Amino acid sequence: MIHIAEMIKKAKSEGYDEANAEAKVCQDILLILISRSSLNRNITVKGGVVMRSISHDARRTYSFQAAELC
């Protein structure tokens, strides 16, 4: 598994500043954990920073696999 510091470094290389890179990594980790849980079919993530980041600001439904986050 990738180290959290490496994930933050990667996010910063993609143009995120320090605070946003850390926030993005935290969100990514939570989404990965949700996707691996037994409740993954019972959770809706909507609006806000998480979905804006995942969908690249697109205003539509977006499906993703946890592997896309790493």
Side-chain angles (χ1 to χ4, degrees), residues 2-16:
I2 191 166
H3 193 271
I4 293 172
E6 292 174 18
M7 292 173 73
I8 294 170
K9 185 177 179 180
K10 181 180 178 208
K12 287 171 62 176
S13 74
E14 294 171 354
Y16 291 89

Side-chain angles (χ1 to χ4, degrees), residues 49-64:
V49 177
V50 174
M51 289 308 295
R52 198 170 94 197
S53 175
I54 291 171
S55 68
H56 307 289
D57 247 350
R59 293 185 155 271
R60 58 188 168 82
T61 303
Y62 186 80
S63 296
F64 68 95

